[in-house]
Each structure stands twice: as C-alpha cells, then as structure tokens.
C-alpha cells in the first residue's frame, strides 16, 4: 500500500591590470649602483642615531663597521641540496679550464686550523647559549623543544601574551644568543659576520662592544667586525633578537611572527680586495641577459671593495659555464680599485651562442657565472660563483608567456613555517615541500608574505618554478620614519639578494595595505590620511622600478571597492605593472547551497567583482593573488542543495573538507573560462600557524591543500593534481575520511586525470561517471548499504588506475523523507526554503511567482522528484530535479502553472500531492 507523500502548498504567484607589457631581461644600469652606494652611505649615517631602528651603530668605529647588507656565498644548508655527483663533475671541468683553482671554500669550525687563503667561510650554527631573559615560561613556544640553554641554529620560538595577545607590544620579547669562536687562523684578515635570517630585529655585540642593529626578519644581513677582532684569537658573539615592534614592518599580520635566528650564521674572512659584501646582502655580482634569436647577450656587473689605503690594480675574470661545467664564454678586465672604497661596480659583457633557455618546469636550464679577482701579481684574491638562467617572459592578451610561448600558471601561495619547526625549517624538508608541489603540478609560487630563504629560491631555479616574491608590508602604514625606512630598506634587500634568480618574475611591494579606520588602535602614528598613503606607496613603487627594470612590479589588494580605488591612485602611470586581488567569495560570504545554484552564486559574484576591479585599474587583465577556503580533514558534510554557508562561518569552528573542494572547484572553473586572468594563486599550499582560532584547530589557518605537517593531503590537493599534472595518471576517491554518512543515497565524487572512470560499490558496477568539470567525475544518487567498500577504476591509454576505500558506514539518520522547496517572487527574489506543506510565495500582494526549486531530503529509495513550470509567453519548460531552477528570474515573466512527478523506487512507495494559489481564484 502506498503512503501519502507530503503535499506542497504553493501560492500561485509561485516565483523563485595593468596593460600587457613585454618583458625580457635587460642590462642592469650602472648608475643604479652608484645611487645604491649613496643610499647605503645615507642609510648608515641616518641609522647611527638610535638603537631599535635599522641602525648601523658603530660606537665610534669607522663607517665601514656599520651594518652591511651583503653576502657572497651560499650557506652550507643551501649547498647540501645540490646533487653532489653532478656538482663534483661540474667543478672538475670548471677547475680544469681555469688557470688557478678559484673554488670558494666553505668549512666547518673544525677546519679553522687550515691555512687561510682567499675567502674563507666558517659556519657557526652549533653551540649557542640561548636565554629568553624571562623569569616565566608562560606564553613561550619552542616548536623544536629547545628553550633556555645550549641550542643549535637554525632556532625558532614565539611568545604570545597569556591574556593580552591582541596587543603587539605585549607580545614583544628580546632574547639573547651567545657563542665564543676561535678565530686565531683568520685574525689578520678582514672579518664579516653574516646572518641569513633573524626575526626580527637583531642587535650584535663582539666581546661586549656593540657592532650595530639590523631591522627586518626575512632577509640576510652582514656586519663588518674587522675592527672589533684585531689581535684576538677568540671572540664572543652576542645577538639580542626582538620578535615584534610597532616601528617597523610587519605589524598586525595574519600569520605567526616567529622569532629567533632561524637561518644560518657565518663568519667570512677576506683579503683587502674582495668581491663586495656591503651591498644589502647580495653576492656582489648582478647578472642580466637579453635574448636575440639563438644568442644571448649577458651583462655581469661585479662589485669590488678595496680596504687598502692605496689604489690597487686588479684583474677580474668572468667565466660562464653551462650545466655540464663546460666554459662557453668569458671576459677579462683590468681595473683600478680606488683606495678605501666599497662596492665599486665594473660591468662586462659577453655572448652565449646557441643559448639554452631556462624554460620553467619543462626545462629549468642553468648557467653558472664564476668571477675571480687577481692582484697585480696574478694571485687569486677572491672568487664567487652564482647560477643564472636566460629567459624572457611577458603578460599580454590575458595570458602569461615564457620564452614566447603561452605558459599556463599553476600557482600556490606558501608560508615558510612548518609544524614542529616554526620558521627554522631544515633545507631537506624544503626539498620535500618542493617535491610535493611538483607532484600536484605547481609551476608558480607566491612566497608569502616576505622573502623566503635563498635555498628556497635556489630550489625554484633548479625545479623551474616561477616566483612572486614580496616584502612584509601588510595592511598598515605608519608616520614613524623608522617604519617607512624599514619598508624601503627591506625592499632593497629583497631585490638585490634575489636579483640573479631566474625563477623570480615579480616583486611584490605590498599586501592589502589600505589603512582601515581600526588602524588607529595601534597608536597615533597609524592615523594616516589618504594623500600620505598614496604619496608614500607611489615612492615605494618607484623605488622598486629603479632597483630592477627587468621584472614586473606588482601588489596584492584586499577585496574592497574603496581600498582598490585608493590603491589605483598610487598604481597609475606605470608605477605598478599589475595588481592582484585576494578573493574569498564563498568562504567569507554566504552561499545558499552547495550545488549548481551555489556554484552560480559564487561565479556571478566573482565575475562582477573582477569586472569592477579591471575598470578601477583601467586594466585589460587581473591577477587573483589569493583564493581559497578552510578545511579541517576531521570535519565532513554532504555537499548538496541542503547545505548552506554563512559569511560568519569562516571564523567559526567548522571548516568542512568537502566544502573547501566545492569552493575551489568553482573558482578553478571560472579562471579557466575567463580570458583575462593570466596569473592566480591558490591560498594556500600548506596550513600555517596564525593567531586565529577557527576551523576547530587553535592557532591554525586551515586553507592549505596540505595539512600543517606538510604531509597529509586534503581532497582538494588531488583536484589540482588532476588538472595540473597530466603525466602522473591516478584516480582518487574523495571523502575517504567521511566514514559515517547520514544518508544511504549519496553523490560519489572522484578526482582523476584519466579519460574515464568506472565506480564499484560493494563489488557491483555503478557505471561510468558523469564529468562535472575537468578532473571531476561524479555519480548521483548512489545507493549505499550499511557498510560499504567503494572502488573507482580509471583508464588512460589502455592502462588502468584505481583507488579504494572500505569501512564507509551509511544510515538514514533523519527518518522521514521530505521535500524542500523555494520560490522566487517578483521584486523580492528567492524566499526562505519551506518544507512539509508550508506555504511558499505570497498571498494578497499581487506579486507574481517567477521560478521554483524543489529537492528531496533524506531519501530512502532510488529515484527522484522532477518538476516543470509553465511560463508566460514561453509555455512549458524542461523537467528539472535536484534543486535546479524551473522558471525564469530577471525577465519579469509569471509562472502560470506547475507539474511534479516521482520517478524510480520513490514512485512505487509514495504518491505526491500539491496545490497552488492563483490570482483572482485563490
């Protein structure tokens, strides 16, 4: 006997960036160096005023003892990533073709008794005495477990005030690192100390005497300590490191501000003439190239320092080697190095015939420039090597081109911290991260929101990753001169240290800087008017353009009409080449359902916003610098018309893994269809530490495609792999962790790059999947048993690939099968969903009903409910189901009649009754 199906009572007004720009690497202007030298001298003079700023205080020493923004050699950890066999072969070839050995010598402390010739680099990571200078342990976090006592570098920590963590000043702590080093073998040489990264402000002392202070936590810096060590066999180095302040960038960031000396530290000894260490942390050489057919013109600018009281006649030999270590070209210069002068630029040009281009992940080919300096007796004084790649790139017609060929960007954002390490992540784990990204098919990285380690960029060069690199200028500007200085100084550090990396294509000058009214809470210095903001940010953009004429200058802005209108004012006249917008539609905005209608809501909103921002910037294309949604792999829900998301859910404790995938699928589909988004970055590749408490995991941003352990992949990881990696064929069943499902009729989804996929439930074939979009196969209304084994089998080029999950429980937790329905009403829009015979629509208002959506809930049987509507001037429309829209919206046409029917097993067990309210009839 059939049961009566719930009737529907319906009132019968039923209703339901910048312009394209050609880019090739060009010759770095020599006059920039002269201006940079002047900038350095001015910076040193200005910074001798007081501690705590980017001051190069020397306590009466000569200005050469001020902070040096320079470096000349790879850290030992960076070199550990190289392939030893290939490098040894390459070095043998290079040495055989040189008149004298010129290989730079890196050594551990145990080598200190060896004879010192030329430059010597001593890694001093081990055995530092560390103190928090705090009597309490409350609020401290040491991710690797190393607190007070002896620690090895890299070392990372954080402090969060137990009660007032929202006030930056309350989270500020200064710790001390101290170490005694034997320098007896290098005491008669010039001696420099290099920190590859210390967060965030570092005050350095030698034997109790202050050398200087560096402000900034993400780039390398060097101090000349020669005058502090004369005649000494050993020295004691002390570094006071402060994690947070409000007079330099960044402040109020949305990621954990880890403190500590979290990258390598080295002592570097040189003769009196050497390749410069004084230029903002770079290696003392700048390499540019310009491609002309099969030939590349290479310009190498070498910077030489002379600490002698006399001018010196020097010979500079610059040799270029291919990836196998064979010399392909070179030059020799005779120069006169002026006495007591640092960073003297000498440029040389050479040509590479039949040039092998650096071609992204397809072929990341690298050359090596080896620079050797000889004295007048033809003795080697110093030598430095650096890798470089020859390539061109440009954005035009809404697309990205590498070496003249269209190149689809597969981009992700990435922070540098990792669970159990903070920011002190070993280089071997960075290799693991790069492997994981390449498995997914990534070819572009936004290293957010600050410069990452040089080892990261070396890996990007070697793997062919394109990079968007940015300074930590986030959200706020301050009137404090020290704050403004830190922005420009850190910009110079970033560009000069990263200049030779072929992977870096963009320099980012700011992220979401728009000075909200709430900024005043940080103090009167943060009360900035619009004119000040526009003027200063214009100067930052111009400085970036001056520092590097060969790369795009870009920025990322928050999703706000007003913020982008202000941002456009400092971006005009070519100051900024491209602006990207960080978009979180669907995560930070409400979505009524997780079905086709929900996808349409997100897509329509995104299209509107992107079109608006293109108009704001008068741009033919836009970057999406961030897009994403949170996901906790232990939280699950069924994505259908019954699921809804509110704007405030983003900050609550439920971030469903399935909803992240739903949102990202929708964005990706839009990006593929539009022809004006040349560059986009998923936010984020990995979960990272922050000050939020949402998504059910304290202090965690859950938007990663991989968990904070950098190992556990979320479902969405495989969505991108299916689209971005066509070589590694695979099949992946989604929602494997969703082991207890609340209905026996489910949509099953598979991500795969195979041509087709067949589904099996408990050994029985359910047939081939429907292709929802690229890389996504779905099966609707799959009937599950109480306990299930689900298997998917894909085929590609005659090969089969499979994935399987067991132990999936399914039960109808909501016992009553029912109907949910919505109507769209003239002048009002979609009404709240109704069910179980409730009235949907209006009575007595004379408003027409225009469309209808109907969906079954808690199905116990196969089949569905289908419905169609009769529309004025159009007649009967097609049958719809699963919450699809039947009728029209925005056309001002009335829905005049409706028909509903049951199909499949449902029709055998139920009847359906419905009624309508018609104007004039009731």
């Amino acid at each position: 006997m059939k049961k009566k199906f719930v009737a529907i009572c319906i009132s019968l007004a039923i209703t339901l960036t910048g312009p394209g720009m050609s880019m090739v690497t060009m010759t770095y202007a020599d006059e920039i160096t002269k201006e940079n030298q002047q900038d350095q001298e001015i910076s040193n003079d200005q910074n001798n005023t007081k501690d705590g700023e980017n001051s190069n205080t020397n306590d009466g020493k000569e200005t050469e003892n001020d902070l040096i923004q320079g470096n000349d050699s790879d850290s030992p950890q960076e070199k550990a990533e190289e392939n030893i066999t290939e490098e040894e072969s390459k070095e043998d070839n290079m040495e055989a073709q040189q008149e004298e050995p010129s290989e730079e010598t890196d050594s551990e402390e145990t080598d200190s008794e060896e004879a010192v010739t030329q430059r010597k680099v001593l890694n001093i990571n081990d055995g530092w005495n560390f103190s928090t200078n705090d009597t309490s342990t409350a609020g401290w976090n040491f991710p690797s477990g190393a607190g007070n006592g002896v620690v090895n570098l890299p070392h990372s920590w954080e402090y969060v005030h137990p009660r007032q963590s929202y006030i930056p000043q309350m989270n500020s702590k200064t710790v001390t690192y101290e170490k005694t080093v034997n320098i007896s073998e290098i005491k008669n040489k010039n001696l420099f100390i290099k920190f590859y990264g210390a967060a965030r402000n570092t005050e350095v002392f030698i034997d109790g005497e202050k050398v200087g202070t560096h402000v900034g936590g993400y780039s390398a810096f060097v101090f000349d300590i020669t005058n502090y060590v004369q005649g000494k066999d050993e020295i004691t180095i002390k570094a006071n490191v402060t994690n947070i302040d409000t007079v330099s960038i960044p402040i109020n960031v949305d990621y954990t501000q880890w403190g500590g000396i979290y990258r390598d530290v080295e002592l570097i000894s040189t003769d009196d003439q050497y390749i410069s260490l004084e230029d903002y942390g770079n290696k003392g050489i700048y390499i540019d190239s310009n491609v002309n057919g099969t030939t590349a013109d290479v310009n190498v600018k070498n910077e030489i320092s002379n600490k002698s009281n006399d001018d010196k006649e020097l010979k500079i030999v610059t040799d270029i080697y291919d990836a196998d270590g064979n010399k392909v070209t070179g030059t020799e210069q005779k120069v006169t190095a002026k006495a007591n002068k640092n960073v003297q630029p000498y440029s040389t040009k050479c040509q590479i015939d039949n040039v092998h281009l650096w071609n992204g992940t397809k072929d990341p080919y690298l050359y090596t420039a080896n620079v050797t300096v000889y004295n007048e007796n033809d003795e080697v004084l110093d030598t430095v090597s650096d890798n470089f790649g020859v390539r061109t790139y440009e954005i035009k017609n809404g697309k990205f081109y590498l070496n003249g060929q269209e190149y689809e960007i597969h981009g992700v954002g990435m922070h540098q911290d990792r669970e159990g390490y903070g920011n002190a992540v070993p280089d071997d784990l960075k290799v693991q991260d790069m492997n994981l990204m390449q498995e997914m098919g990534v070819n572009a990285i936004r290293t957010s929101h600050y410069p990452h380690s040089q080892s990261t960029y070396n890996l990007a060069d070697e793997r062919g990753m394109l990079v968007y690199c940015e300074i930590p200028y986030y959200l706020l500007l301050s009137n404090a001169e020290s704050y403004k200085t830190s922005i420009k100084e850190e910009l110079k550090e970033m560009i000069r240290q990263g200049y030779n990396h072929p992977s870096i294509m963009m320099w980012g000058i700011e992220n979401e800087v728009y000075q909200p009214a709430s900024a005043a809470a940080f103090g009167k210095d943060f009360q900035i008017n619009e004119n000040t903001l526009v003027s200063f940010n214009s100067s930052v953009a111009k400085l970036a353009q001056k520092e590097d004429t060969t790369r795009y200058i870009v920025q990322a802005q928050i999703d706000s009409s007003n913020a982008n209108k202000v941002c456009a004012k400092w971006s005009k006249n070519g100051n900024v080449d491209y602006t990207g917008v960080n978009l979180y539609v669907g995560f930070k905005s409400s979505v009524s359902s997780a079905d086709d209608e929900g996808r349409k809501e997100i897509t329509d909103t995104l299209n509107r916003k992107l079109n608006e921002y293109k108009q704001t910037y008068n741009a033919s294309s836009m970057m999406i610098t961030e897009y994403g949604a949170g996901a906790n792999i232990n939280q699950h829900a069924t994505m259908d018309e019954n699921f809804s998301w509110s704007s405030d859910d983003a900050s609550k404790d439920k971030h469903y893994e399935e909803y992240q995938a739903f949102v990202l699928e929708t964005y990706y589909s839009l990006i593929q269809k539009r022809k004006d988004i040349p560059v986009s970055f998923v936010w984020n590749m990995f979960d990272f530490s922050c000050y939020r408490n949402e998504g059910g995991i304290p202090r965690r941003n859950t938007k990663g495609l991989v968990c904070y352990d950098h190992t556990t992949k979320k479902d969405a990881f495989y969505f991108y792999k299916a689209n971005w990696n066509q070589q590694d064929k695979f099949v992946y069943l989604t929602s494997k962790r969703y082991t207890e499902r609340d209905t026996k009729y489910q949509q099953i989804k598979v991500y795969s790059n195979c041509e087709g996929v067949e589904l099996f439930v408990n050994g029985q074939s359910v047939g081939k999947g429907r292709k929802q979009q690229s890389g996504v196969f779905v099966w609707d209304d799959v009937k599950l048993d109480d306990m299930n084994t689900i298997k998917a089998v894909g085929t590609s080029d005659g090969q089969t690939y499979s994935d399987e999950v067991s132990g999936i429980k399914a039960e109808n937790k909501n016992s009553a099968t029912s109907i949910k329905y919505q109507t769209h009403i003239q002048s009002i829009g979609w009404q709240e969903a109704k069910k179980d015979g409730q009235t949907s629509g209006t009575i007595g208002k004379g408003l027409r009903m225009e469309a209808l959506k109907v969906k079954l809930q808690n199905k116990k049987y196969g089949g569905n409910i289908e419905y169609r509507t009769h529309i004025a001037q159009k007649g009967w429309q097609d049958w719809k189901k699963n919450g699809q829209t039947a009728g029209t919206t925005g056309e001002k046409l009335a829905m005049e009649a409706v028909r509903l029917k049951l199909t499949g097993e449902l029709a055998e067990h139920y009847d359906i009754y419905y009624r309508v309210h018609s104007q004039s009839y009731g």
Side-chain angles (χ1 to χ4, degrees):
M1 179 177 180
K2 293 185 178 180
K3 302 177 183 177
K4 288 188 177 181
F5 205 64
V6 177
I8 305 179
C9 179
I10 305 176
S11 164
L12 189 68
I14 276 188
T15 66
L16 252 320
T17 64
M21 166 180 170
S22 178
M23 172 62 67
V24 296
T25 52
M26 297 180 289
T27 301
Y28 188 92
D30 283 342
E31 58 264 29
I32 292 179
T33 299
K34 298 174 184 177
E35 293 166 349
N36 289 344
Q37 287 178 259
Q38 295 171 359
D39 291 344
Q40 177 67 58
E41 293 168 4
I42 293 171
S43 174
N44 288 344
D45 290 340
Q46 290 176 340
N47 290 332
N48 281 331
T49 56
K50 61 181 181 179
D51 297 340
E53 300 179 5
N54 205 23
S55 60
N56 307 326
T57 52
N58 56 20
D59 294 344
K61 300 292 179 181
E62 296 176 2
T63 56
E64 67 186 10
N65 292 318
D66 286 351
L67 167 65
I68 299 171
Q69 306 274 1
N71 173 47
D72 69 325
S73 63
D74 292 332
S75 73
Q77 287 198 11
E78 291 169 6
K79 294 191 173 185
E81 302 306 337
E82 298 173 352
N83 184 295
I84 300 302
T85 302
E86 292 180 358
E87 285 302 310
E88 288 177 348
S89 174
K90 177 177 176 179
E91 288 166 5
D92 288 344
N93 288 339
M94 290 171 62
E95 289 175 4
Q97 296 174 68
Q98 294 175 354
E99 295 180 6
E100 293 188 38
S102 60
E103 180 121 13
E104 180 178 304
T105 303
D106 285 359
S107 71
E108 301 299 324
E109 291 176 87
T110 54
D111 296 331
S112 62
E113 295 182 0
E114 297 176 1
V116 177
T117 58
Q118 307 167 41
R119 177 182 302 222
K120 189 175 182 68
V121 179
L122 184 69
N123 179 280
I124 56 172
N125 280 354
D126 292 346
W128 289 77
N129 291 306
F130 173 76
S131 175
T132 63
N133 301 317
D134 194 346
T135 58
S136 173
T137 58
W140 289 91
N141 176 26
F142 301 96
S144 60
N148 286 326
V150 178
V151 301
N152 295 328
L153 307 181
H155 180 251
S156 188
W157 55 269
E158 71 153 334
Y159 177 80
V160 177
H161 193 281
R163 295 182 304 280
Q164 295 177 295
S165 60
Y166 54 90
I167 303 175
Q169 296 91 325
M170 301 304 294
N171 292 332
S172 180
K173 288 289 184 181
T174 299
V175 304
T176 298
Y177 295 85
E178 193 167 25
K179 176 184 176 71
T180 299
V181 183
N182 186 310
I183 60 165
S184 58
E185 294 297 327
I186 52 177
K187 65 181 180 182
N188 295 321
K189 295 289 186 177
N190 298 299
L191 192 60
F192 303 83
I193 186 168
K194 176 175 182 180
F195 293 79
Y196 281 83
R200 136 165 133 203
N201 302 335
T202 307
E203 193 177 35
V204 177
F205 298 81
I206 300 295
D207 292 332
E209 192 172 3
K210 184 174 178 180
V211 177
T213 300
H214 175 262
V215 175
Y218 302 101
S219 295
F221 58 94
V222 177
F223 286 103
D224 184 344
I225 60 174
T226 305
N227 288 350
Y228 298 83
V229 303
Q230 293 302 307
K232 298 179 181 179
D233 289 329
E234 68 176 25
I235 58 173
T236 297
I237 304 165
K238 183 173 78 171
N240 291 335
V241 181
T242 302
N243 60 334
I244 294 173
D245 66 27
T246 58
V247 293
S248 66
I249 59 171
I251 183 174
N252 194 39
V253 294
D254 197 14
Y255 54 88
T256 296
Q257 294 205 54
W258 297 99
I261 304 176
Y262 67 96
R263 295 179 190 154
D264 292 348
V265 180
E266 295 172 344
L267 289 178
I268 304 168
S269 65
T270 71
D271 291 310
D272 281 348
Q273 294 80 44
Y274 53 92
I275 298 169
S276 300
L277 286 149
E278 296 89 350
D279 189 10
Y280 283 84
N282 72 8
K283 289 190 172 185
I285 58 177
Y286 292 92
I287 307 168
D288 289 299
S289 60
N290 187 39
V291 179
N292 295 302
T294 60
T295 299
D297 297 320
V298 179
N299 183 76
V300 181
K301 184 180 67 179
N302 301 309
E303 297 177 333
I304 305 299
S305 293
N306 179 13
K307 297 185 75 172
S308 169
N309 293 326
D310 301 315
D311 292 352
K312 292 293 182 179
E313 300 301 317
L314 304 175
K315 180 175 69 175
I316 305 174
V317 175
T318 303
D319 291 324
I320 306 298
Y321 296 86
D322 64 18
D324 295 322
N326 302 307
K327 181 178 174 180
V328 295
T329 187
T331 65
E332 183 177 308
Q333 299 169 276
K334 296 291 182 66
V335 304
T336 301
K338 299 299 181 181
N340 295 309
K341 188 174 182 181
N342 296 330
V343 194
Q344 302 178 54
Y346 301 98
S347 291
T348 184
K349 297 179 184 294
C350 52
Q351 182 174 291
I352 302 176
D353 297 323
N354 298 314
V355 65
H356 194 148
L357 298 179
W358 186 92
N359 201 27
T361 55
K362 299 175 183 177
D363 185 12
Y365 192 88
L366 294 173
Y367 289 92
T368 299
N370 189 84
V371 180
T372 304
V373 180
Y374 297 84
N375 63 15
E376 57 188 358
N377 297 321
D378 216 29
E379 296 171 321
V380 174
L381 295 172
D382 199 5
T383 183
V384 167
S385 296
D386 205 8
N387 292 334
F388 70 98
V390 178
R391 79 285 187 266
T392 67
Y393 62 88
E394 61 180 326
I395 294 174
K396 65 179 181 180
N397 304 323
K399 297 178 181 179
F400 187 90
Y401 291 82
L402 181 63
N403 299 323
Q405 300 297 313
E406 184 179 337
Y407 195 81
E408 184 177 276
I409 297 296
H410 303 160
V412 297
M414 180 178 71
H415 275 289
Q416 67 181 357
D417 66 317
R418 181 178 178 138
E419 187 174 35
Y421 297 91
N423 278 350
V425 180
D427 282 354
D428 61 333
L429 294 184
K430 295 173 188 173
V431 172
Q432 186 184 101
D433 290 344
M434 194 69 69
N435 291 341
L436 202 58
M437 286 187 280
Q438 290 202 288
E439 179 194 340
M440 198 177 81
V442 173
N443 63 16
I445 308 169
R446 182 183 175 197
T447 51
S448 308
H449 290 297
Y450 40 76
H452 289 214
S453 69
Q454 288 300 304
S455 62
T456 295
Y457 299 119
N458 289 341
L459 279 170
D461 295 341
E462 295 163 8
R463 302 296 185 90
M465 295 287 187
L466 298 171
V467 173
Y468 172 139
C469 183
E470 61 189 329
I471 57 173
Y473 179 24
Y474 171 69
L475 194 64
L476 306 175
L477 176 63
S478 168
N479 278 315
E481 285 304 313
S482 61
Y483 193 95
K484 295 178 180 178
T485 298
S486 72
I487 293 170
K488 293 188 175 182
E489 292 293 280
E490 292 185 46
L491 178 66
K492 292 177 185 178
E493 288 179 336
M494 174 183 72
I495 293 177
R496 297 189 194 186
Q497 292 176 31
Y499 194 87
N500 294 339
H501 291 290
S503 58
I504 298 176
M505 60 176 176
M506 295 176 171
W507 300 121
I509 62 169
E510 60 91 3
N511 180 56
E512 298 186 348
V513 174
Y514 72 104
Q515 212 70 19
S518 59
F522 293 100
K524 61 181 180 61
D525 283 340
F526 292 92
Q527 297 175 11
I528 299 289
N529 61 46
E530 183 179 306
N531 289 337
T532 299
L533 182 65
V534 170
S535 175
F536 178 77
N537 285 353
S538 294
S539 72
V540 174
K542 289 175 181 177
L543 175 61
Q545 296 280 8
K546 173 184 171 183
E547 285 287 315
D548 190 347
T549 62
T550 72
R551 289 178 172 90
Y552 288 129
I553 306 305
V554 300
Q555 61 192 352
Q557 191 49 266
I558 198 168
D559 180 13
S560 160
S561 295
N562 184 63
N564 281 277
K565 288 176 182 176
V566 175
C567 181
K569 294 180 180 180
W570 72 67
S571 306
K572 61 185 179 181
N573 301 324
N575 283 348
V576 176
D577 296 310
Y578 285 96
T579 298
V581 182
N582 300 337
L583 294 169
Y584 291 98
V585 175
F587 185 64
K588 295 184 178 180
S589 65
S590 297
V591 180
S592 64
S593 58
D595 57 4
D596 288 343
E597 290 297 321
R599 295 181 195 278
K600 186 175 185 302
E601 288 178 35
I602 295 173
T603 300
D604 288 349
T605 302
L606 286 172
N607 281 324
R608 176 181 58 77
K609 286 179 177 288
L610 287 166
N611 293 337
E612 174 191 338
Y613 293 139
K614 282 176 58 181
Q615 185 174 6
T616 298
Y617 292 99
N618 191 28
S620 60
S621 60
M622 288 290 294
M623 296 192 299
I624 300 180
T625 36
E626 293 178 21
Y627 70 95
N632 182 335
I633 61 169
N634 297 312
Q635 296 176 347
H636 303 280
T638 300
M639 295 297 107
D640 59 17
E641 74 291 341
N642 299 317
F643 181 92
S644 62
W645 185 264
S646 297
S647 57
D648 59 353
D649 284 338
S651 59
K652 292 184 178 179
D653 61 356
K654 295 293 185 183
H655 288 174
Y656 303 103
E657 184 175 19
E658 289 76 15
Y659 188 64
Q660 179 193 49
F662 172 82
V663 171
L664 293 177
E665 289 167 8
T666 305
Y667 272 81
Y668 187 76
S669 178
L670 172 135
I671 291 168
Q672 293 299 105
K673 289 176 182 176
R674 289 188 68 116
K675 305 303 180 184
D676 55 0
I677 305 175
V679 178
S680 61
F681 298 93
V682 183
W683 190 256
N684 194 285
M685 183 66 199
F686 304 101
D687 287 353
F688 57 92
S689 177
C690 66
Y691 299 107
R692 303 176 182 221
N693 291 302
E694 57 189 40
I697 308 176
R699 300 288 310 280
R700 188 74 48 83
N701 188 309
T702 66
K703 297 186 188 74
L705 303 176
V706 180
C707 294
Y708 195 32
D709 61 6
H710 286 219
T711 300
T712 306
K713 304 164 188 174
K714 303 180 186 180
D715 282 358
F717 173 95
Y718 293 95
F719 168 70
Y720 284 99
K721 181 177 179 179
N723 283 282
W724 290 352
N725 183 347
Q726 295 305 308
Q727 285 69 46
D728 181 14
K729 296 297 181 181
F730 76 100
V731 169
Y732 177 79
L733 276 161
T734 67
S735 298
K736 285 195 187 77
R737 289 174 278 258
Y738 191 5
T739 56
E740 296 187 7
R741 307 190 183 184
D742 55 9
T743 175
K744 288 193 172 183
Y745 284 88
Q746 292 266 319
Q747 182 188 78
I748 306 297
K749 181 190 295 183
V750 165
Y751 294 142
S752 179
N753 50 16
C754 289
E755 298 161 3
V757 182
E758 184 176 5
L759 185 71
F760 296 84
V761 176
N762 299 322
Q764 299 298 311
S765 174
V766 184
K768 298 282 188 178
R770 168 176 63 87
K771 201 162 188 179
Q772 172 190 290
Q773 64 190 88
S774 176
V776 184
F777 296 87
V778 295
W779 292 258
D780 296 315
D781 295 326
V782 176
K783 184 178 180 181
L784 301 180
D785 295 333
D786 292 342
M787 186 65 70
N788 301 272
T789 295
I790 304 173
K791 182 178 181 179
V793 179
T795 57
S796 183
D797 295 328
Q799 299 294 315
T800 60
Y801 307 86
S802 64
D803 191 24
E804 183 174 326
V805 60
S806 299
I808 301 297
K809 298 179 182 179
E811 61 176 314
N812 293 314
K813 294 184 178 179
N814 299 309
S815 57
T817 301
S818 61
I819 299 175
K820 181 180 178 181
Y821 43 95
Q822 287 179 277
T823 55
H824 190 281
I825 305 297
Q826 169 194 358
S827 304
I828 298 178
W830 285 108
Q831 304 298 286
E832 182 181 353
K834 302 294 183 180
K835 63 180 182 178
D836 299 337
Q838 296 174 318
T839 298
S840 180
T842 60
I843 298 176
K845 295 185 178 181
L847 299 176
R848 64 178 173 268
M849 181 177 288
E850 298 174 332
L852 169 70
K853 294 193 293 188
V854 182
K855 179 70 176 181
L856 281 172
Q857 291 185 294
N858 310 318
K859 285 174 53 177
K860 289 186 176 181
Y861 304 103
N864 216 324
I865 182 170
E866 298 183 8
Y867 48 98
R868 65 189 303 197
T869 56
H870 190 282
I871 303 300
Q873 303 177 27
K874 291 190 174 185
W876 285 106
Q877 304 298 289
D878 292 338
W879 287 96
K880 303 292 183 181
K881 61 182 178 179
N882 296 326
Q884 296 173 317
T885 298
T888 61
T889 59
E891 298 184 34
K892 299 182 180 180
L893 299 176
M895 191 176 83
E896 298 175 328
V898 61
R899 293 177 60 187
L900 298 96
K901 67 178 181 181
L902 298 175
T903 63
E905 291 181 332
L906 281 169
E908 299 174 8
H909 292 273
Y910 296 103
D911 287 321
I912 182 169
Y913 296 86
Y914 50 99
R915 61 190 301 196
V916 297
H917 186 283
S918 178
Q919 184 177 0
S920 304
Y921 291 93

